Amino acid sequence: RIKSYFNWCSCIMGFLVNSFIEFPAPTFDPDSVSGLVHWYDVSDSSTVTKDGSNLISNIADKKGSSPFVQATGSSQPSWISGGQNGLDTMSIVSGKSIHTPSFATVAKPLFQFFVMKTPPNTGGNQQLLSQDVVTGMDFYRQASNVFSMLSTSSVSVTVSITQKWVMVVFDGTEGSGNASLQVDGTKATGTTSATDINLVSCLGSATAWELGEMLLYSSALSSDDQTEIKDYLTSKWDVT
């Protein structure tokens, strides 16, 4: 009888656990994917140095050793509490910038993921990211809702959006001289002469935009790896 009683208790406890207790899903770590070389996350307060006016002077590199830095107070971007999906972000407006002076060159194959709030469509070129590569590559919002990763040739995506939080994915592994750019779920392929990339600054020539997180991988990523990273950013930042 005692054995039967304990067996009954065990069954009841198992039923209660399986029916009523929800266990949190494992947290995905971008560093679990091989090839991560630089990782910036404004939502991680332990990596952000700001003053009493919420001006950012430093964002640590969570993977490498190349922080974003801006020592000049009048040029420092602003920290925004709960800027997107309850997470902190960085606001960059015209005249503000933050740089990575010691960023090492990353050769192909490479993947770059970043979460950002797009600037308003002013009808003119707005430079968002300046990236020092062999041929010079920059990320722009251009006229007519065209987003481009520019070098001597470019990869461009046309997305009809105003100011919106989006995920941007640059894939430099599409083949020899080829690449793809995805903005807000819309993807396009093109030819780029860039063979490596070196992100050196977030510039403020755009009217106004915000940055949440940036990941840079120096390896080709499998479809499963890409899906995991995109799902992580989508869930965390509520973007597509």
Side-chain angles (χ1 to χ4, degrees), residues 1-234:
R1 290 180 179 179
I2 293 175
K3 183 176 180 181
S4 297
Y5 170 76
F6 281 109
N7 286 339
W8 175 82
C9 289
S10 178
C11 289
I12 293 297
M13 289 301 297
F15 170 77
L16 291 174
V17 168
N18 291 330
S19 301
F20 300 104
I21 300 177
E22 294 185 2
F23 294 95
T27 301
F28 173 75
D29 181 359
D31 198 17
S32 66
V33 176
S34 178
L36 180 64
V37 288
H38 300 288
W39 178 10
Y40 305 95
D41 183 2
V42 185
S43 72
D44 183 349
S45 61
S46 69
T47 69
V48 178
T49 302
K50 58 185 179 67
D51 64 13
S53 298
N54 290 331
L55 297 179
I56 297 175
S57 59
N58 186 294
I59 300 176
D61 185 353
K62 296 181 67 170
K63 177 59 179 179
S65 57
S66 299
F68 276 121
V69 177
Q70 179 53 268
T72 304
S74 60
S75 298
Q76 291 172 347
S78 298
W79 174 82
I80 305 297
S81 175
Q84 170 61 11
N85 204 31
L87 302 174
D88 303 335
T89 62
M90 175 174 63
S91 173
I92 305 177
V93 299
S94 182
K96 309 292 184 179
S97 63
I98 195 163
H99 309 267
T100 57
S102 60
F103 211 84
T105 298
V106 180
K108 282 188 174 183
L110 61 91
F111 267 88
Q112 187 174 0
F113 301 80
F114 50 98
V115 173
M116 61 170 290
K117 183 179 181 180
T118 59
N121 188 354
T122 63
N125 287 344
Q126 299 187 75
Q127 188 180 32
L128 302 170
L129 300 175
S130 173
Q131 304 185 103
D132 180 21
V133 288
V134 169
T135 55
M137 178 175 283
D138 302 301
F139 183 61
Y140 276 84
R141 177 170 192 162
Q142 298 179 294
S144 303
N145 289 314
V146 176
F147 292 82
S148 299
M149 196 72 81
L150 300 174
S151 58
T152 53
S153 53
S154 65
V155 184
S156 299
V157 176
T158 300
V159 188
S160 181
I161 54 178
T162 53
Q163 286 189 283
K164 181 182 180 181
W165 277 94
V166 300
M167 175 168 49
V168 178
V169 183
F170 175 70
D171 176 3
T173 69
E174 292 283 344
S176 179
N178 295 322
S180 68
L181 182 64
Q182 178 178 312
V183 179
D184 198 32
T186 300
K187 179 180 177 180
T189 57
T191 301
T192 174
S193 55
T195 57
D196 54 18
I197 189 170
N198 182 351
L199 179 67
V200 294
S201 62
C202 294
L203 297 178
S205 62
T207 305
W209 67 288
E210 292 180 42
L211 179 69
E213 188 164 356
M214 183 181 299
L215 302 165
L216 183 60
Y217 291 85
S218 64
S219 61
L221 303 180
S222 68
S223 296
D224 287 345
D225 287 340
Q226 294 178 52
T227 297
E228 280 196 306
I229 296 168
K230 290 176 182 178
D231 287 349
Y232 157 76
L233 293 173
T234 295

